[in-house]
Protein backbone atom coordinates (compact mmCIF):
# COMPACT_ATOMS: atom_id res chain seq x y z
CA UNK A 1 0.00 0.00 0.00
CA UNK A 2 1.15 3.55 -0.70
CA UNK A 3 2.34 5.47 2.35
CA UNK A 4 0.11 8.20 3.79
CA UNK A 5 1.71 11.12 5.61
CA UNK A 6 0.75 11.48 9.24
CA UNK A 7 -0.13 15.13 8.68
CA UNK A 8 -2.76 14.17 6.13
CA UNK A 9 -4.35 11.68 8.52
CA UNK A 10 -4.41 14.12 11.44
CA UNK A 11 -5.72 17.01 9.36
CA UNK A 12 -8.43 14.87 7.90
CA UNK A 13 -11.33 14.26 10.28
CA UNK A 14 -12.56 11.18 8.46
CA UNK A 15 -11.99 7.57 9.55
CA UNK A 16 -12.77 3.98 8.58
CA UNK A 17 -10.17 3.76 5.84
CA UNK A 18 -7.03 1.66 5.48
CA UNK A 19 -3.60 3.25 5.45
CA UNK A 20 0.07 2.52 5.51
CA UNK A 21 2.14 4.86 7.68
CA UNK A 22 5.87 4.96 8.28
CA UNK A 23 7.87 6.88 10.82
CA UNK A 24 9.93 6.90 14.00
CA UNK A 25 8.65 5.82 17.39
CA UNK A 26 8.48 8.72 19.83
CA UNK A 27 7.08 6.66 22.69
CA UNK A 28 5.55 3.26 23.40
CA UNK A 29 3.18 2.88 26.36
CA UNK A 30 1.69 -0.23 27.97
CA UNK A 31 2.92 -2.47 25.16
CA UNK A 32 -0.04 -1.08 23.23
CA UNK A 33 0.18 2.60 22.22
CA UNK A 34 2.86 3.89 19.87
CA UNK A 35 3.28 7.62 19.27
CA UNK A 36 4.56 7.74 15.69
CA UNK A 37 6.13 10.77 14.01
CA UNK A 38 7.20 11.16 10.40
CA UNK A 39 8.22 14.82 10.47
CA UNK A 40 5.34 15.93 8.27
CA UNK A 41 3.90 17.81 11.25
CA UNK A 42 4.42 18.38 14.95
CA UNK A 43 1.73 15.90 15.98
CA UNK A 44 2.27 12.18 16.55
CA UNK A 45 -0.13 9.57 15.26
CA UNK A 46 -1.30 7.07 17.86
CA UNK A 47 -0.96 3.47 16.72
CA UNK A 48 -2.90 0.91 18.71
CA UNK A 49 -1.36 -2.53 18.74
CA UNK A 50 -3.31 -5.77 19.17
CA UNK A 51 -2.81 -7.32 22.58
CA UNK A 52 -1.80 -10.71 21.20
CA UNK A 53 1.09 -9.34 19.13
CA UNK A 54 4.29 -11.36 19.05
CA UNK A 55 6.57 -10.61 22.06
CA UNK A 56 9.79 -10.39 20.04
CA UNK A 57 8.25 -7.82 17.74
CA UNK A 58 6.99 -5.75 20.67
CA UNK A 59 10.50 -5.69 22.17
CA UNK A 60 11.82 -4.11 19.01
CA UNK A 61 9.36 -1.19 19.17
CA UNK A 62 11.65 1.16 21.07
CA UNK A 63 11.99 4.94 21.05
CA UNK A 64 13.78 5.95 17.89
CA UNK A 65 13.07 2.74 15.98
CA UNK A 66 11.52 3.14 12.55
CA UNK A 67 8.43 1.16 11.69
CA UNK A 68 5.90 0.66 8.93
CA UNK A 69 2.29 0.06 9.93
CA UNK A 70 -0.69 -1.14 7.92
CA UNK A 71 -3.99 -0.54 9.62
CA UNK A 72 -7.37 1.10 9.84
CA UNK A 73 -7.92 4.75 10.74
CA UNK A 74 -10.55 4.73 13.46
CA UNK A 75 -12.11 7.26 15.82
CA UNK A 76 -9.98 7.44 18.93
CA UNK A 77 -11.37 6.20 22.22
CA UNK A 78 -8.74 8.07 24.18
CA UNK A 79 -8.30 11.75 24.91
CA UNK A 80 -5.82 13.88 23.00
CA UNK A 81 -6.53 12.76 19.45
CA UNK A 82 -9.51 12.50 17.15
CA UNK A 83 -8.29 9.54 15.17
CA UNK A 84 -5.78 6.74 15.62
CA UNK A 85 -4.64 3.75 13.62
CA UNK A 86 -5.57 0.22 14.65
CA UNK A 87 -2.60 -1.80 13.47
CA UNK A 88 -3.16 -4.88 11.33
CA UNK A 89 0.52 -5.52 10.77
CA UNK A 90 3.77 -3.91 11.87
CA UNK A 91 7.14 -4.15 10.23
CA UNK A 92 10.34 -2.96 11.88
CA UNK A 93 12.32 -0.94 9.32
CA UNK A 94 15.24 -0.07 11.58
CA UNK A 95 15.96 -1.09 15.15
CA UNK A 96 17.14 1.47 17.69
CA UNK A 97 18.96 0.36 20.80
CA UNK A 98 17.62 2.60 23.60
CA UNK A 99 20.78 1.95 25.64
CA UNK A 100 22.85 3.63 22.95
CA UNK A 101 20.44 6.08 21.27
CA UNK A 102 21.90 9.53 22.09
CA UNK A 103 18.48 11.19 22.35
CA UNK A 104 17.35 8.55 24.81
CA UNK A 105 20.38 8.83 27.07
CA UNK A 106 19.43 12.23 28.45
CA UNK A 107 16.12 12.90 30.05
CA UNK A 108 15.51 16.39 28.70
CA UNK A 109 18.50 16.97 26.40
CA UNK A 110 19.77 20.54 26.47
CA UNK A 111 20.26 22.56 23.29
CA UNK A 112 24.02 22.40 23.91
CA UNK A 113 23.95 18.64 24.10
CA UNK A 114 21.79 18.46 20.99
CA UNK A 115 24.40 20.50 19.08
CA UNK A 116 26.84 17.66 19.77
CA UNK A 117 24.40 15.24 18.17
CA UNK A 118 23.21 17.61 15.45
CA UNK A 119 22.90 14.67 13.08
CA UNK A 120 20.05 13.35 15.24
CA UNK A 121 18.50 16.50 16.63
CA UNK A 122 16.02 16.72 13.74
CA UNK A 123 14.16 13.97 15.60
CA UNK A 124 13.19 16.30 18.43
CA UNK A 125 10.04 18.42 18.41
CA UNK A 126 12.00 21.64 18.79
CA UNK A 127 14.32 21.05 15.84
CA UNK A 128 11.72 19.61 13.53
CA UNK A 129 9.62 22.73 14.20
CA UNK A 130 12.62 25.00 13.55
CA UNK A 131 13.53 23.34 10.28
CA UNK A 132 9.96 23.21 9.00
CA UNK A 133 9.81 26.93 9.74
CA UNK A 134 13.16 27.56 8.08
CA UNK A 135 11.88 25.86 4.95
CA UNK A 136 8.68 27.86 5.00
CA UNK A 137 10.56 31.13 5.37
CA UNK A 138 12.81 30.32 2.42
CA UNK A 139 9.73 29.56 0.34
CA UNK A 140 7.98 32.75 1.49
CA UNK A 141 11.01 34.83 0.53
CA UNK A 142 11.06 33.42 -2.99
CA UNK A 143 7.31 33.94 -3.23
CA UNK A 144 7.58 37.55 -2.07
CA UNK A 145 10.11 38.41 -4.75
CA UNK A 146 8.51 36.32 -7.45
CA UNK A 147 5.13 37.98 -6.87
CA UNK A 148 6.83 41.35 -7.31
CA UNK A 149 8.56 40.43 -10.53
CA UNK A 150 12.11 40.10 -9.22
CA UNK A 151 14.56 37.83 -11.02
CA UNK A 152 16.40 35.29 -8.84
CA UNK A 153 20.03 35.66 -9.81
CA UNK A 154 22.62 33.03 -8.90
CA UNK A 155 25.77 34.90 -8.03
CA UNK A 156 29.07 33.04 -7.80
CA UNK A 157 30.25 31.29 -4.67
CA UNK A 158 33.87 31.47 -5.74
CA UNK A 159 35.04 35.01 -6.38
CA UNK A 160 38.16 37.10 -6.73
CA UNK A 161 36.69 40.21 -5.09
CA UNK A 162 36.06 41.11 -1.47
CA UNK A 163 32.64 42.78 -1.65
CA UNK A 164 32.61 44.03 1.91
CA UNK A 165 36.30 44.94 1.92
CA UNK A 166 36.63 43.41 5.34
CA UNK A 167 39.24 40.85 4.30
CA UNK A 168 37.55 38.04 6.19
CA UNK A 169 37.62 35.46 3.44
CA UNK A 170 38.25 31.77 3.05
CA UNK A 171 40.77 31.08 0.30
CA UNK A 172 39.92 28.69 -2.51
CA UNK A 173 43.02 27.10 -3.98
CA UNK A 174 44.36 23.87 -5.40
CA UNK A 175 48.00 24.81 -4.86
CA UNK A 176 49.99 22.49 -2.57
CA UNK A 177 50.06 23.88 0.97
CA UNK A 178 53.52 22.51 1.70
CA UNK A 179 55.35 23.91 -1.22
CA UNK A 180 53.37 26.42 -3.30
CA UNK A 181 54.91 27.91 -6.44
CA UNK A 182 56.59 31.26 -5.75
CA UNK A 183 56.82 34.47 -7.79
CA UNK A 184 59.99 36.59 -8.10
CA UNK A 185 59.27 38.34 -4.78
CA UNK A 186 58.88 35.07 -2.91
CA UNK A 187 55.09 35.38 -2.59
CA UNK A 188 52.72 32.60 -3.60
CA UNK A 189 52.34 32.58 -7.38
CA UNK A 190 48.59 32.44 -7.86
CA UNK A 191 49.06 32.57 -11.63
CA UNK A 192 49.65 28.84 -11.29
CA UNK A 193 46.54 28.30 -9.20
CA UNK A 194 43.36 26.74 -10.59
CA UNK A 195 41.79 30.03 -11.68
CA UNK A 196 45.11 31.68 -12.48
CA UNK A 197 44.53 34.16 -9.67
CA UNK A 198 43.80 34.35 -5.97
CA UNK A 199 40.19 33.37 -5.25
CA UNK A 200 37.95 33.12 -2.20
CA UNK A 201 34.52 32.04 -1.05
CA UNK A 202 32.11 34.92 -1.45
CA UNK A 203 31.17 37.15 1.50
CA UNK A 204 28.22 38.64 -0.40
CA UNK A 205 26.56 38.41 -3.81
CA UNK A 206 25.89 42.12 -3.90
CA UNK A 207 28.41 43.36 -6.44
CA UNK A 208 27.30 40.80 -9.00
CA UNK A 209 23.64 41.44 -8.14
CA UNK A 210 24.23 45.11 -8.96
CA UNK A 211 25.36 44.10 -12.44
CA UNK A 212 22.13 42.16 -12.92
CA UNK A 213 19.98 45.02 -11.62
CA UNK A 214 21.54 47.32 -14.20
CA UNK A 215 19.61 45.44 -16.88
CA UNK A 216 16.85 43.45 -15.20
CA UNK A 217 15.93 46.28 -12.79
CA UNK A 218 14.84 44.00 -9.93
CA UNK A 219 16.93 41.04 -8.89
CA UNK A 220 17.71 39.15 -5.73
CA UNK A 221 20.17 36.53 -4.62
CA UNK A 222 19.60 33.89 -1.97
CA UNK A 223 22.68 31.83 -1.36
CA UNK A 224 25.39 30.78 1.04
CA UNK A 225 28.02 33.31 2.10
CA UNK A 226 31.20 32.76 4.03
CA UNK A 227 33.06 34.88 6.53
CA UNK A 228 36.26 33.92 8.24
CA UNK A 229 35.72 36.38 11.08
CA UNK A 230 36.71 34.94 14.38
CA UNK A 231 33.49 35.89 16.20
CA UNK A 232 32.33 33.13 18.45
CA UNK A 233 29.00 34.74 19.29
CA UNK A 234 25.41 33.48 19.33
CA UNK A 235 24.75 35.63 16.22
CA UNK A 236 27.68 34.77 13.92
CA UNK A 237 28.29 31.85 11.60
CA UNK A 238 31.24 31.29 9.30
CA UNK A 239 28.81 29.94 6.70
CA UNK A 240 25.41 31.58 6.52
CA UNK A 241 22.70 32.28 3.97
CA UNK A 242 21.88 35.74 2.78
CA UNK A 243 19.04 37.25 0.78
CA UNK A 244 20.18 40.26 -1.25
CA UNK A 245 17.71 42.22 -3.36
CA UNK A 246 19.10 44.91 -5.63
CA UNK A 247 16.79 47.37 -7.34
CA UNK A 248 17.50 49.90 -10.08
CA UNK A 249 15.94 53.35 -9.61
CA UNK A 250 15.35 52.79 -5.87
CA UNK A 251 16.68 55.25 -3.34
CA UNK A 252 17.37 54.63 0.32
CA UNK A 253 13.72 55.27 1.28
CA UNK A 254 12.39 52.77 -1.26
CA UNK A 255 15.02 50.38 0.10
CA UNK A 256 13.73 50.75 3.65
CA UNK A 257 10.16 50.19 2.49
CA UNK A 258 11.15 47.05 0.60
CA UNK A 259 12.99 45.60 3.60
CA UNK A 260 10.14 46.37 5.98
CA UNK A 261 7.61 44.86 3.56
CA UNK A 262 9.72 41.72 3.18
CA UNK A 263 10.09 41.19 6.91
CA UNK A 264 6.38 41.73 7.53
CA UNK A 265 5.44 39.48 4.66
CA UNK A 266 7.45 36.53 5.95
CA UNK A 267 6.19 37.01 9.51
CA UNK A 268 2.63 37.03 8.24
CA UNK A 269 3.34 33.99 6.08
CA UNK A 270 4.73 31.96 8.96
CA UNK A 271 1.85 32.92 11.26
CA UNK A 272 -0.58 31.76 8.59
CA UNK A 273 1.22 28.58 7.52
CA UNK A 274 3.27 27.38 10.49
CA UNK A 275 0.91 28.00 13.36
CA UNK A 276 1.40 24.57 14.91
CA UNK A 277 5.19 24.90 14.97
CA UNK A 278 5.02 28.49 16.23
CA UNK A 279 2.59 27.50 18.97
CA UNK A 280 5.02 24.82 20.07
CA UNK A 281 8.00 27.21 20.08
CA UNK A 282 5.89 29.85 21.82
CA UNK A 283 5.11 27.41 24.61
CA UNK A 284 8.72 26.28 24.78
CA UNK A 285 9.83 29.87 25.27
CA UNK A 286 7.22 30.50 27.97
CA UNK A 287 8.60 27.50 29.89
CA UNK A 288 12.16 28.76 29.45
CA UNK A 289 11.27 32.25 30.62
CA UNK A 290 9.84 30.82 33.83
CA UNK A 291 13.35 29.67 34.75
CA UNK A 292 14.75 33.19 34.45
CA UNK A 293 14.73 35.87 37.14
CA UNK A 294 11.78 38.29 36.80
CA UNK A 295 13.84 41.23 35.55
CA UNK A 296 15.37 39.20 32.71
CA UNK A 297 12.12 37.87 31.32
CA UNK A 298 10.96 39.20 27.99
CA UNK A 299 7.85 41.31 27.99
CA UNK A 300 6.18 39.49 25.14
CA UNK A 301 5.71 35.86 24.21
CA UNK A 302 6.93 34.82 20.76
CA UNK A 303 3.66 35.01 18.83
CA UNK A 304 2.71 38.22 20.57
CA UNK A 305 6.06 39.69 19.53
CA UNK A 306 5.59 38.63 15.90
CA UNK A 307 2.07 40.09 15.80
CA UNK A 308 3.37 43.28 17.35
CA UNK A 309 6.15 43.66 14.79
CA UNK A 310 3.69 42.90 12.01
CA UNK A 311 1.23 45.60 13.05
CA UNK A 312 3.58 48.42 13.97
CA UNK A 313 5.64 50.62 11.70
CA UNK A 314 9.38 50.22 12.16
CA UNK A 315 11.02 53.21 13.81
CA UNK A 316 13.30 55.17 11.46
CA UNK A 317 16.16 57.22 12.90
CA UNK A 318 19.53 58.49 11.79
CA UNK A 319 22.80 57.26 13.21
CA UNK A 320 23.36 60.69 14.76
CA UNK A 321 19.98 60.47 16.51
CA UNK A 322 20.87 56.95 17.68
CA UNK A 323 24.12 58.18 19.20
CA UNK A 324 22.28 61.01 20.96
CA UNK A 325 19.71 58.61 22.40
CA UNK A 326 22.50 56.36 23.68
CA UNK A 327 24.36 59.32 25.22
CA UNK A 328 21.17 60.38 27.01
CA UNK A 329 20.35 56.85 28.20
CA UNK A 330 20.41 55.79 31.85
CA UNK A 331 22.54 52.82 30.73
CA UNK A 332 25.24 55.17 29.43
CA UNK A 333 25.06 57.49 32.42
CA UNK A 334 25.37 54.55 34.81
CA UNK A 335 28.31 53.24 32.73
CA UNK A 336 26.46 50.03 31.93
CA UNK A 337 27.82 49.81 28.37
CA UNK A 338 31.03 47.88 27.92
CA UNK A 339 31.97 49.90 24.79
CA UNK A 340 32.20 53.67 24.67
CA UNK A 341 29.61 55.76 22.85
CA UNK A 342 30.59 58.68 20.65
CA UNK A 343 29.86 59.84 17.11
CA UNK A 344 31.90 57.72 14.72
CA UNK A 345 31.81 54.39 16.57
CA UNK A 346 30.46 51.26 14.99
CA UNK A 347 27.35 50.45 17.05
CA UNK A 348 28.03 47.42 19.22
CA UNK A 349 25.45 44.75 19.82
CA UNK A 350 24.75 46.14 23.33
CA UNK A 351 23.99 49.56 21.81
CA UNK A 352 21.75 48.11 19.12
CA UNK A 353 19.84 46.08 21.64
CA UNK A 354 19.41 49.03 23.96
CA UNK A 355 17.83 51.05 21.14
CA UNK A 356 15.51 48.26 20.09
CA UNK A 357 14.65 46.52 23.33
CA UNK A 358 14.75 49.29 25.91
CA UNK A 359 14.20 52.54 24.06
CA UNK A 360 11.88 51.94 21.10
CA UNK A 361 10.69 48.42 21.91
CA UNK A 362 10.28 47.65 18.21
CA UNK A 363 12.42 47.19 15.10
CA UNK A 364 14.46 50.26 14.23
CA UNK A 365 15.94 51.30 10.89
CA UNK A 366 19.09 53.35 11.36
CA UNK A 367 20.35 55.41 8.40
CA UNK A 368 23.19 57.80 7.66
CA UNK A 369 26.16 56.02 9.19
CA UNK A 370 29.65 57.59 9.19
CA UNK A 371 31.34 56.67 5.92
CA UNK A 372 34.47 55.44 7.69
CA UNK A 373 32.72 52.45 9.25
CA UNK A 374 30.90 51.37 6.09
CA UNK A 375 31.80 49.73 2.76
CA UNK A 376 33.16 51.64 -0.24
CA UNK A 377 30.07 51.21 -2.42
CA UNK A 378 27.63 53.18 -0.26
CA UNK A 379 26.31 56.46 -1.65
CA UNK A 380 27.95 59.49 -0.07
CA UNK A 381 25.67 62.04 1.52
CA UNK A 382 26.10 65.77 0.87
CA UNK A 383 27.49 66.37 4.37
CA UNK A 384 30.72 64.66 3.30
CA UNK A 385 30.71 62.58 6.51
CA UNK A 386 27.89 60.08 6.21
CA UNK A 387 26.64 57.54 3.67
CA UNK A 388 23.14 56.38 2.66
CA UNK A 389 23.44 53.18 4.65
CA UNK A 390 20.63 51.46 6.49
CA UNK A 391 20.71 48.77 9.14
CA UNK A 392 17.58 47.19 10.55
CA UNK A 393 17.85 46.25 14.19
CA UNK A 394 15.46 43.66 15.59
CA UNK A 395 14.53 42.86 19.19
CA UNK A 396 16.61 40.03 20.61
CA UNK A 397 18.86 39.97 17.54
CA UNK A 398 20.45 43.35 16.84
CA UNK A 399 21.37 43.83 13.17
CA UNK A 400 19.21 41.66 10.94
CA UNK A 401 19.49 43.67 7.69
CA UNK A 402 22.36 45.73 6.32
CA UNK A 403 22.00 47.73 3.12
CA UNK A 404 22.40 51.02 1.34
CA UNK A 405 21.77 53.18 -1.66
CA UNK A 406 24.78 52.59 -3.90
CA UNK A 407 27.22 55.20 -5.13
CA UNK A 408 26.33 55.46 -8.81
CA UNK A 409 28.57 58.50 -9.53
CA UNK A 410 31.78 57.21 -11.10
CA UNK A 411 34.02 60.02 -9.83
CA UNK A 412 32.79 59.78 -6.23
CA UNK A 413 33.04 55.99 -6.28
CA UNK A 414 36.58 55.82 -7.64
CA UNK A 415 37.69 58.54 -5.26
CA UNK A 416 36.37 56.53 -2.32
CA UNK A 417 37.98 53.34 -3.63
CA UNK A 418 41.34 55.09 -3.82
CA UNK A 419 40.93 56.37 -0.27
CA UNK A 420 40.19 52.83 0.89
CA UNK A 421 42.99 51.25 -1.20
CA UNK A 422 40.62 49.18 -3.31
CA UNK A 423 42.19 48.46 -6.71
CA UNK A 424 40.01 50.16 -9.33
CA UNK A 425 41.64 48.38 -12.29
CA UNK A 426 40.74 44.91 -11.02
CA UNK A 427 37.19 46.13 -10.36
CA UNK A 428 36.73 47.49 -13.89
CA UNK A 429 33.68 45.28 -14.36
CA UNK A 430 31.95 46.84 -11.37
CA UNK A 431 32.90 50.35 -12.42
CA UNK A 432 31.64 49.70 -15.96
CA UNK A 433 28.06 49.80 -14.61
CA UNK A 434 28.82 53.40 -13.64
CA UNK A 435 30.35 54.11 -17.06
CA UNK A 436 27.61 52.74 -19.25
CA UNK A 437 24.15 53.90 -18.32
CA UNK A 438 24.48 54.29 -14.56
CA UNK A 439 21.28 54.75 -12.55
CA UNK A 440 20.56 55.29 -8.87
CA UNK A 441 19.99 51.95 -7.19
CA UNK A 442 19.79 50.38 -3.78
CA UNK A 443 19.72 47.01 -2.06
CA UNK A 444 20.25 45.20 1.18
CA UNK A 445 21.28 41.89 2.72
CA UNK A 446 19.03 39.99 5.10
CA UNK A 447 20.84 37.37 7.14
CA UNK A 448 18.65 34.28 6.76
CA UNK A 449 19.68 32.63 10.03
CA UNK A 450 19.15 35.88 11.93
CA UNK A 451 15.65 35.96 10.45
CA UNK A 452 15.04 32.36 11.52
CA UNK A 453 16.33 33.22 15.01
CA UNK A 454 13.90 36.11 15.19
CA UNK A 455 10.90 34.11 14.05
CA UNK A 456 11.55 30.97 16.09
CA UNK A 457 12.54 32.87 19.24
CA UNK A 458 15.70 30.77 19.50
CA UNK A 459 18.70 32.54 20.97
CA UNK A 460 21.70 30.79 19.46
CA UNK A 461 22.30 30.92 15.71
CA UNK A 462 23.79 27.41 15.84
CA UNK A 463 20.29 26.12 16.52
CA UNK A 464 18.64 27.46 13.38
CA UNK A 465 20.96 26.10 10.68
CA UNK A 466 21.12 22.31 10.23
CA UNK A 467 24.90 22.04 10.44
CA UNK A 468 26.55 25.14 11.88
CA UNK A 469 30.05 26.21 10.89
CA UNK A 470 31.76 28.31 13.53
CA UNK A 471 35.39 28.79 14.58
CA UNK A 472 36.90 25.39 15.44
CA UNK A 473 33.71 23.60 14.49
CA UNK A 474 32.81 21.93 11.22
CA UNK A 475 31.43 18.60 12.43
CA UNK A 476 29.00 16.51 10.45
O1 LIG B 1 25.77 43.92 6.81
P1 LIG B 1 26.35 42.90 5.87
O2 LIG B 1 27.78 42.59 6.01
O3 LIG B 1 26.00 43.44 4.42
C1 LIG B 1 26.42 42.92 3.23
O4 LIG B 1 27.04 41.90 3.08
C2 LIG B 1 25.90 43.69 2.04
N1 LIG B 1 26.68 43.30 0.86
C3 LIG B 1 24.43 43.40 1.86
C4 LIG B 1 23.84 44.16 0.71
O5 LIG B 1 23.69 45.37 0.79
N2 LIG B 1 23.49 43.48 -0.36
O6 LIG B 1 25.53 41.54 6.00
C5 LIG B 1 24.13 41.54 5.78
C6 LIG B 1 23.42 40.73 6.85
C7 LIG B 1 23.61 41.25 8.26
O7 LIG B 1 22.70 42.30 8.53
C8 LIG B 1 23.32 40.02 9.09
O8 LIG B 1 21.93 39.80 9.20
C9 LIG B 1 23.90 38.92 8.22
O9 LIG B 1 23.96 39.41 6.89
N3 LIG B 1 25.25 38.52 8.66
C10 LIG B 1 25.52 37.38 9.31
N4 LIG B 1 24.72 36.38 9.73
C11 LIG B 1 25.31 35.34 10.37
N5 LIG B 1 26.63 35.25 10.59
C12 LIG B 1 27.48 36.24 10.18
N6 LIG B 1 28.79 36.11 10.39
C13 LIG B 1 26.92 37.36 9.51
N7 LIG B 1 27.44 38.49 8.97
C14 LIG B 1 26.41 39.17 8.46
MG1 LIG C 1 26.29 45.04 8.42
Amino acid sequence: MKRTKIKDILLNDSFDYKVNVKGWVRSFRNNQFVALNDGSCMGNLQIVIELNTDETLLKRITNGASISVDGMVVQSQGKGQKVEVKADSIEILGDCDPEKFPLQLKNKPSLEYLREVAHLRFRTNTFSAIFRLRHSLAYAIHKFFNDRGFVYLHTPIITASDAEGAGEMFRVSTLPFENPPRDEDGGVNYKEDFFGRCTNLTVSGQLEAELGAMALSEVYTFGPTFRAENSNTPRHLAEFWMIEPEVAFNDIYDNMDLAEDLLKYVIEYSLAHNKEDLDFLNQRLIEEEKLKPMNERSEMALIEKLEFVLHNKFERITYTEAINILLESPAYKKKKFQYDVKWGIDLQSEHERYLVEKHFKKPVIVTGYPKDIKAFYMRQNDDGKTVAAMDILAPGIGEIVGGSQREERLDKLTERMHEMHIPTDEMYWYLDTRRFGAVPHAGFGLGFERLVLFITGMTNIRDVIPFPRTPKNADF
Side-chain angles (χ1 to χ4, degrees):
M1 203 191 297
K2 211 168 166 258
R3 170 185 162 236
T4 303
K5 287 192 183 201
I6 289 177
K7 180 183 182 178
D8 295 331
I9 297 173
L10 294 180
L11 276 184
N12 187 344
D13 273 344
S14 59
F15 43 87
D16 284 340
Y17 60 100
K18 288 216 175 253
V19 287
N20 168 264
V21 288
K22 294 183 171 75
W24 293 268
V25 175
R26 282 289 175 83
S27 69
F28 187 30
R29 283 186 296 125
N30 303 345
N31 259 349
Q32 206 191 353
F33 302 108
V34 177
L36 194 69
N37 191 285
D38 68 359
S40 59
C41 61
M42 178 62 67
N44 300 323
L45 177 66
Q46 174 151 288
I47 311 287
V48 186
I49 298 181
E50 290 279 354
L51 287 173
N52 58 7
T53 303
D54 174 29
E55 275 290 322
T56 52
L57 181 79
L58 288 179
K59 282 217 177 69
R60 293 173 65 194
I61 305 177
T62 56
N63 288 5
S66 48
I67 62 175
S68 171
V69 180
D70 286 323
M72 182 72 110
V73 179
V74 296
Q75 249 181 323
S76 178
Q77 306 298 310
K79 274 197 227 138
Q81 65 272 323
K82 285 196 200 132
V83 293
E84 60 194 19
V85 167
K86 221 165 137 293
D88 296 328
S89 72
I90 295 186
E91 184 195 343
I92 307 284
L93 299 175
D95 288 291
C96 179
D97 182 349
E99 309 275 306
K100 294 194 182 128
F101 186 39
L103 296 185
Q104 192 65 27
L105 298 178
K106 304 256 168 165
N107 185 8
K108 217 173 168 287
S110 66
L111 295 172
E112 289 78 13
Y113 172 73
L114 289 170
R115 258 170 244 148
E116 289 168 25
V117 291
H119 57 302
L120 295 169
R121 66 180 177 171
F122 301 106
R123 300 261 197 107
T124 64
N125 282 335
T126 303
F127 284 94
S128 54
I130 291 170
F131 291 117
R132 276 190 299 266
L133 261 160
R134 185 180 160 111
H135 157 78
S136 224
L137 289 168
Y139 175 74
I141 287 165
H142 284 301
K143 183 162 164 48
F144 173 89
F145 287 119
N146 183 63
D147 290 354
R148 281 162 185 72
F150 281 65
V151 173
Y152 177 27
L153 201 70
H154 296 92
T155 51
I157 289 174
I158 300 174
T159 113
S161 70
D162 177 3
E164 292 304 298
E168 292 159 334
M169 296 182 297
F170 291 100
R171 184 145 299 162
V172 175
S173 172
T174 53
L175 293 178
F177 277 125
E178 313 294 326
N179 190 17
R182 301 283 173 186
D183 57 22
E184 292 111 57
D185 306 330
V188 175
N189 185 2
Y190 287 106
K191 288 209 179 76
E192 287 188 32
D193 204 348
F194 189 91
F195 295 105
R197 60 191 301 174
C198 182
T199 51
N200 306 288
L201 293 178
T202 186
V203 294
S204 156
Q206 179 197 322
L207 302 189
E208 292 89 352
E210 282 188 55
L211 312 185
M214 291 302 100
L216 300 161
S217 293
E218 276 130 348
V219 303
Y220 72 105
T221 72
F222 187 166
T225 45
F226 307 86
R227 298 200 183 171
E229 52 189 333
N230 209 348
S231 344
N232 228 329
T233 80
R235 320 247 174 273
H236 288 88
L237 290 164
E239 176 180 296
F240 64 99
W241 289 67
M242 188 157 43
I243 298 98
E244 296 183 275
E246 194 66 39
V247 184
F249 319 114
N250 265 11
D251 64 16
I252 187 77
Y253 302 100
D254 303 317
N255 206 32
M256 287 192 258
D257 291 342
L258 180 67
E260 185 166 343
D261 285 352
L262 171 64
L263 289 172
K264 288 185 169 169
Y265 180 89
V266 298
I267 291 173
E268 193 163 29
Y269 186 92
S270 57
L271 286 168
H273 294 87
N274 292 75
K275 195 64 186 8
E276 194 191 31
D277 292 324
L278 281 174
D279 280 338
F280 174 84
L281 293 168
N282 193 53
Q283 199 49 43
R284 182 190 164 276
L285 220 60
I286 290 172
E287 304 297 325
E288 273 214 336
E289 291 281 306
K290 284 188 193 149
L291 305 173
K292 290 188 191 163
M294 275 299 217
N295 61 345
E296 283 176 27
R297 291 186 194 172
S298 37
E299 287 168 28
M300 283 187 223
L302 177 63
I303 293 184
E304 204 185 342
K305 175 188 82 176
L306 295 176
E307 305 254 359
F308 178 83
V309 170
L310 185 58
H311 297 299
N312 284 281
K313 208 164 163 33
F314 293 5
E315 196 69 40
R316 298 182 180 195
I317 59 168
T318 64
Y319 170 88
T320 304
E321 284 164 343
I323 291 291
N324 289 338
I325 291 168
L326 292 171
L327 288 173
E328 291 296 317
S329 69
Y332 177 75
K333 289 181 176 157
K334 289 188 199 143
K335 299 197 170 22
K336 289 262 173 70
F337 291 132
Q338 193 189 334
Y339 294 90
D340 196 18
V341 179
K342 61 171 190 263
W343 201 94
I345 59 156
D346 205 354
L347 295 179
Q348 298 295 321
S349 165
E350 57 176 356
H351 305 140
E352 296 178 339
R353 295 186 64 171
Y354 177 85
L355 291 169
V356 179
E357 286 157 37
K358 295 271 181 334
H359 192 84
F360 290 111
K361 298 184 193 293
K362 58 174 166 168
V364 179
I365 311 184
V366 185
T367 51
Y369 281 81
K371 65 176 185 194
D372 291 334
I373 57 170
K374 290 293 185 186
F376 71 93
Y377 52 70
M378 295 194 180
R379 194 172 199 278
Q380 294 160 51
N381 289 331
D382 293 340
D383 62 12
K385 291 193 309 193
T386 61
V387 285
M390 62 162 223
D391 277 7
I392 302 188
L393 315 178
I397 310 287
E399 181 189 336
I400 189 165
V401 165
S404 65
Q405 186 173 334
R406 318 305 188 189
E407 184 55 83
E408 83 284 10
R409 298 163 295 187
L410 182 64
D411 53 339
K412 296 256 181 205
L413 182 58
T414 43
E415 191 187 302
R416 189 75 189 126
M417 288 171 80
H418 289 141
E419 277 170 21
M420 295 175 77
H421 308 291
I422 297 167
T424 45
D425 45 345
E426 270 177 39
M427 297 281 284
Y428 75 91
W429 50 272
Y430 184 69
L431 293 171
D432 269 0
T433 55
R434 274 70 172 168
R435 291 188 183 110
F436 307 119
V439 298
H441 61 289
F444 61 84
L446 165 64
F448 188 48
E449 284 73 22
R450 297 214 183 153
L451 174 71
V452 185
L453 269 183
F454 181 68
I455 294 202
T456 57
M458 300 302 288
T459 50
N460 193 313
I461 202 161
R462 293 165 181 79
D463 295 333
V464 297
I465 185 162
F467 301 104
R469 267 80 184 104
T470 50
K472 301 281 177 289
N473 168 36
D475 291 340
F476 314 109

